[in-house]
Amino acid sequence: MMINSLLWRRLKEVSFLMILILCMSTAHAQPPIKVACMGNSVTYGLGIVDREQNAYPVQLQQLLGEDYQVRNYGHSGATLLRQGHRPYAQTEEFAAALAYGPDIALIHLGLNDTDPRNWPDHGGNFLADYSWLIAQLRAVNPQMKIYIALLTPLYSEHPRFKSGTYEWHKEIRSEIRQVAQANEVDLIDFFQPLIGRPDLFPDAIHPTAEGAKILAATAYSSLIVEGGGLQLPDFFSNGMLLQRGERIRINGKGTPSETVWLRMQGKEISVQVNQNGQWELFLTEIQPGGPFTMEVIHATDTIRMEEIWVGDLWLCLGQSNMDFPLSSSSSWQIEQATEKPERLKLFKYNAIQPTDNRLWGDSTLMKVNDLSYFQGQWNSERETFSAVAYHFGTDLIKEMDIPIGLVQISLGGAPIEAFVDRESLWEDDLLVDLFDDWQNSDFIMPWVRERAAMNTGEGYEGQQRHPYQPSYIYEAAISNMTPFGIKGILWYQGESNTHNPTLYKRLFSTMVDSYRNRWANDSLPIYLVQLPGMARPSWPKFREMQLDLAQRDPYTEMAVTLDLGDSLEVHPKEKKQVGERLARLALAKTYHKPLPADAPVIDSIQVFPEELIVYFKFKEGLQTLDGGEVLGFILEDTRGQSLCVTGKIRNEQLHLPIPPHFELQKVTYGYEPYTKANLTNSSGMPMSTQHYSLKGSGHISQE
């Protein structure tokens, strides 16, 4: 009995100690940080499979861990506007969020305000209504940390996109930026991380679970800025070339409030990492040349890069003829016996799989959707680099006393629409329709659609993406280059758009305007390559359209390649001459070297009873490529009958015979698909395909 009493006493003592320890632990434990995710159906998780486990607030909870308590206060259809059709301020979720008394509030509202029932009548109240909502939260907890989010994308497939919703979506994003500034709250960008992922929005407005995962990761990176150490973009590495200029931007990530130091060319500059973990520095008074060493120092981390060069960086874009490798060109046999110039630096974006005629595997298809189709690196081998770009670069090196860098982004078969950013296409009332069922759209060349279907198989009609899809190459590769300065752009593309020259003209102009805006350079030079002669009936009209593009824009120039084609082969091997012609144009137009570079262009034509006299712009040294008679001119009468004529050059004018009783209506030059046209001048640049129509008696003027 005594033993039992002693045992009982010991048990009570142990229990008391355990309770005391538990109470002490509880007393010292910190309550979880309360996070309220407030919003509409995107926050709620509408359409997401297993919403309770996959909505973005739930996935944010998983990232934050047990030290946080995240609650979902999303209400489908809710508007920010208090006079909207379903004001969030009147929902049970808003009342519950206030009662929750969060430490952190994350608000994503505004999508439903794009409804025509809301924005046209009440949009003027958006700033005031959002400010009111923020004030209600601060009244509950003045120390509350508040984040407001830029709207998630709304894609052009949405039924209200073109009726006004897209424009209102842009206006609301702008208003949200103003709300953040006026109310001194933090801004989270839910737009940019998802703008290139239409595959994650099956109904064009609500993200899938994977899309919600990206939202959660974006929110997490704003709420929890981790030290992560010093990081630089992939573009920065040994052997890189930086665009010379008054200011050279260097940027990266680091630990907030820590200092980053950069040393190069005997200069040392520093900056503090901001609260979002971002930093940027600007090198000034940096002289072209190299090789240099760059050191970036941050806390205990140091990144040291060797072989850094400063010079001019050219972006080389296009499809298969830009992609055509040096080792396959006719110049390779001689070129491989020479050393690559030390000051020529090559960066190539390689495709993980070619767009050949076969079905891709699941791994490739997943990477395509993840925008991981291209992998870029410096110090690319010249054998696999673009032959056209390589010869362009070597010619610049010979003439210019600076290093030259070339960045190649090219893909066989790619249409121009794949190189244009999504928002620029959305801005155009016609081009926006490129996205509408693009897999079956006549906007897209049939061959392009057929090859994309072959690569993607059963996923073609669904959400699976392909590099030929509108905007894909821009989103997967070109967008990576926009933070870095460039000197200009080489463009060799068009074979996959010859079915519609009028549409191409509009696309090209849109692309050029977009690039000049993205690089903040209204005079950014674009040097395009005209399609060569080939036995394809649609090509002459396309070539003439390319000439018109070059003539309309003072900073767009064209290298003519009529004489370098092959009647049956779409990939002629004479790439050195193409690169040389592009270089000659750049040296004359961008670097202002005293070189003749312009091809002859017909200025006017005088009609006599038995002959025409053709007068030219850029007539100096008018001659033929082969020293023979002038070939390539065709006369057409009023009944559509045509006649090939040969001409003779006299005093830098061209004389062409007219047959008796020939009712002249049109004159064309180089208008046969595979032409023998041979006119040039002292520049060595062949004259382009041109098409003229009789406008009045005695004269022919350009259409």
Side-chain angles (χ1 to χ4, degrees):
M1 188 72 178
M2 186 177 295
I3 294 175
N4 289 340
S5 298
L6 182 61
L7 178 61
W8 176 248
R9 190 162 57 249
R10 290 283 185 265
L11 287 173
K12 288 199 295 181
E13 291 174 356
V14 170
S15 297
F16 175 77
L17 288 172
M18 291 178 65
I19 293 171
L20 181 62
I21 291 171
L22 181 62
C23 290
M24 291 176 65
S25 299
T26 304
H28 288 88
Q30 295 293 324
I33 298 170
K34 295 188 287 184
V35 181
C37 294
M38 306 162 66
N40 46 45
S41 54
V42 172
T43 300
Y44 175 78
L46 184 68
I48 293 177
V49 177
D50 296 327
R51 180 192 71 84
E52 294 78 6
Q53 285 75 43
N54 292 318
Y56 102 76
V58 181
Q59 298 197 57
L60 178 60
Q61 174 72 79
Q62 296 166 358
L63 293 172
L64 291 172
E66 61 185 12
D67 292 338
Y68 290 78
Q69 184 181 75
V70 182
R71 291 188 178 175
N72 187 342
Y73 294 105
H75 185 98
S76 293
T79 66
L80 182 282
L81 291 168
R82 288 192 284 168
Q83 291 180 287
H85 72 276
R86 191 174 297 170
Y88 185 76
Q90 298 178 16
T91 64
E92 293 181 359
E93 286 80 1
F94 179 57
L98 293 177
Y100 181 47
D103 302 295
I104 298 173
L106 199 166
I107 310 167
H108 177 234
L109 284 167
L111 273 176
N112 294 303
D113 299 271
T114 63
D115 191 296
R117 292 173 289 180
N118 303 316
W119 194 252
D121 291 334
H122 309 300
N125 300 325
F126 191 86
L127 176 59
D129 287 355
Y130 217 141
S131 298
W132 176 87
L133 188 146
I134 291 169
Q136 305 312 299
L137 290 167
R138 283 176 169 160
V140 171
N141 177 7
Q143 304 303 315
M144 186 186 305
K145 184 72 172 176
I146 299 175
Y147 298 83
I148 64 175
L150 288 179
L151 303 185
T152 51
L154 179 142
Y155 292 90
S156 57
E157 293 81 1
H158 191 277
R160 291 201 317 268
F161 186 90
K162 293 178 66 175
S163 64
T165 295
Y166 170 62
E167 290 299 327
W168 300 334
H169 192 281
K170 285 197 305 179
E171 290 177 23
I172 291 172
R173 296 202 313 269
S174 178
E175 289 274 329
I176 290 172
R177 290 187 178 93
Q178 187 176 351
V179 170
Q181 183 176 7
N183 292 276
E184 297 181 339
V185 298
D186 287 326
L187 187 67
I188 296 179
D189 191 348
F190 275 1
F191 183 78
Q192 284 300 329
L194 286 167
I195 183 63
R197 298 302 307 271
D199 55 298
L200 302 181
F201 288 76
D203 66 352
I205 192 169
H206 294 105
T208 62
E210 187 177 352
K213 181 179 180 180
I214 294 174
L215 290 178
T218 302
Y220 176 82
S221 66
S222 295
L223 271 58
I224 307 296
V225 181
E226 298 178 307
L230 180 63
Q231 299 178 50
L232 293 172
D234 292 339
F235 186 76
F236 291 100
S237 68
N238 293 337
M240 72 176 176
L241 183 138
L242 299 172
Q243 174 61 42
R244 61 175 172 157
E246 294 181 2
R247 302 201 315 165
I248 301 175
R249 180 175 180 264
I250 311 294
N251 67 295
K253 297 180 180 179
T255 302
S257 301
E258 292 285 348
T259 299
V260 171
W261 296 85
L262 188 147
R263 296 171 184 160
M264 183 174 166
Q265 279 195 21
K267 300 179 185 296
E268 184 173 274
I269 54 176
S270 64
V271 71
Q272 191 176 63
V273 182
N274 68 24
Q275 292 306 305
N276 293 322
Q278 308 287 332
W279 59 267
E280 66 177 6
L281 289 163
F282 292 92
L283 290 165
T284 59
E285 299 179 356
I286 296 295
Q287 298 302 311
F292 305 121
T293 298
M294 178 188 292
E295 282 190 332
V296 185
I297 303 166
H298 168 65
T300 59
D301 296 327
T302 298
I303 296 178
R304 180 183 174 90
M305 289 172 285
E306 307 285 351
E307 295 284 322
I308 306 301
W309 300 78
V310 177
D312 282 347
L313 188 66
W314 289 83
L315 188 58
C316 310
L317 307 176
Q319 56 181 108
S320 54
N321 274 304
M322 179 61 82
D323 199 61
F324 196 87
L326 182 62
S327 60
S328 297
S329 71
S330 60
S331 61
W332 176 240
Q333 186 173 359
I334 296 175
E335 199 64 39
Q336 67 179 330
T338 65
E339 293 292 331
K340 179 176 77 70
E342 181 188 22
R343 293 183 297 168
L344 182 63
K345 317 314 300 178
L346 307 178
F347 184 106
K348 183 181 179 184
Y349 278 92
N350 291 292
I352 59 173
Q353 286 288 342
T355 51
D356 50 8
N357 194 30
R358 60 175 171 171
L359 178 65
W360 287 341
D362 291 343
S363 175
T364 297
L365 294 173
M366 289 177 62
K367 289 179 180 178
V368 170
N369 276 6
D370 289 340
L371 300 180
S372 301
Y373 180 71
F374 293 101
Q375 303 294 328
Q377 64 178 22
W378 282 105
N379 300 315
S380 298
E381 295 293 333
R382 64 172 176 167
E383 291 91 331
T384 59
F385 203 79
S386 165
V388 168
Y390 180 83
H391 285 296
F392 169 84
T394 55
D395 268 27
L396 291 193
I397 290 287
K398 293 173 186 175
E399 296 292 333
M400 303 298 300
D401 191 26
I402 56 170
I404 297 294
L406 305 173
V407 176
Q408 178 186 341
I409 303 175
S410 56
L411 182 66
I416 187 174
E417 51 267 26
F419 293 84
V420 189
D421 71 278
R422 185 177 300 271
E423 290 179 87
S424 293
L425 296 177
W426 280 353
E427 294 284 346
D428 188 292
D429 290 340
L430 173 66
L431 300 183
V432 62
D433 291 335
L434 284 163
F435 296 101
D436 186 15
D437 190 23
W438 75 276
Q439 302 95 327
N440 300 294
S441 171
D442 286 339
F443 276 102
I444 315 295
M445 195 169 183
W447 180 92
V448 172
R449 290 182 274 130
E450 291 165 7
R451 180 55 54 87
M454 180 69 254
N455 294 152
T456 55
E458 294 180 358
Y460 182 64
E461 296 290 344
Q463 296 298 112
Q464 176 61 50
R465 301 197 69 186
H466 188 275
Y468 292 170
Q469 186 179 11
S471 298
Y472 185 90
I473 294 176
Y474 180 88
E475 292 166 347
I478 298 172
S479 62
N480 298 332
M481 291 300 305
T482 55
F484 308 108
I486 60 173
K487 187 68 174 179
I489 294 175
L490 304 185
W491 177 254
Y492 195 168
Q493 191 280 334
E495 299 92 334
S496 289
N497 293 90
T498 54
H499 69 302
N500 194 335
T502 302
L503 179 65
Y504 189 91
K505 181 185 290 187
R506 192 159 176 164
L507 278 162
F508 183 87
S509 298
T510 300
M511 180 184 74
V512 170
D513 288 345
S514 168
Y515 290 174
R516 288 177 178 157
N517 179 59
R518 300 284 174 169
W519 274 283
N521 182 357
D522 291 339
S523 57
L524 182 71
I526 312 291
Y527 291 98
L528 68 93
V529 180
Q530 189 181 47
L531 294 190
M534 187 182 179
R536 291 188 176 178
S538 61
W539 281 31
K541 187 174 182 180
F542 193 88
R543 293 196 300 260
E544 187 178 31
M545 176 275 300
Q546 290 178 300
L547 173 65
D548 186 58
L549 288 174
Q551 291 180 325
R552 287 175 180 268
D553 183 351
Y555 303 108
T556 295
E557 303 289 343
M558 184 178 71
V560 183
T561 61
L562 279 182
D563 58 320
L564 301 177
D566 185 296
S567 63
L568 300 176
E569 176 55 62
V570 73
H571 304 121
K573 295 184 177 182
E574 302 298 326
K575 293 294 189 280
K576 181 178 182 180
Q577 296 91 323
V578 181
E580 290 172 341
R581 290 174 187 178
L582 287 168
R584 191 174 187 87
L585 284 167
L587 289 167
K589 307 296 183 177
T590 297
Y591 296 103
H592 308 294
K593 295 286 185 179
L595 298 171
D598 294 290
V601 176
I602 296 176
D603 188 26
S604 63
I605 300 178
Q606 192 170 8
V607 182
F608 294 94
E610 296 182 353
E611 70 172 1
L612 305 174
I613 299 180
V614 185
Y615 302 91
F616 296 90
K617 298 176 183 177
F618 314 115
K619 62 183 180 180
E620 293 78 9
L622 194 68
Q623 58 189 294
T624 58
L625 292 165
D626 55 8
E629 292 183 316
V630 177
L631 305 176
F633 278 92
I634 297 176
L635 309 182
E636 185 176 316
D637 67 12
T638 55
R639 294 172 296 171
Q641 302 300 308
S642 59
L643 177 69
C644 294
V645 293
T646 59
K648 297 184 182 298
I649 299 170
R650 299 174 191 160
N651 299 321
E652 297 182 329
Q653 301 167 1
L654 180 64
H655 294 251
L656 296 171
I658 302 178
H661 311 297
F662 193 88
E663 298 179 13
L664 186 61
Q665 177 74 14
K666 294 180 182 179
V667 176
T668 64
Y669 172 80
Y671 227 86
E672 294 172 300
Y674 182 69
T675 177
K676 296 181 179 179
N678 62 349
L679 197 59
T680 184
N681 58 15
S682 58
S683 72
M685 189 78 74
M687 192 166 90
S688 167
T689 296
Q690 297 176 47
H691 180 195
Y692 292 82
S693 177
L694 186 63
K695 296 296 184 182
S697 61
H699 291 279
I700 294 177
S701 58
Q702 187 172 3
E703 285 190 322

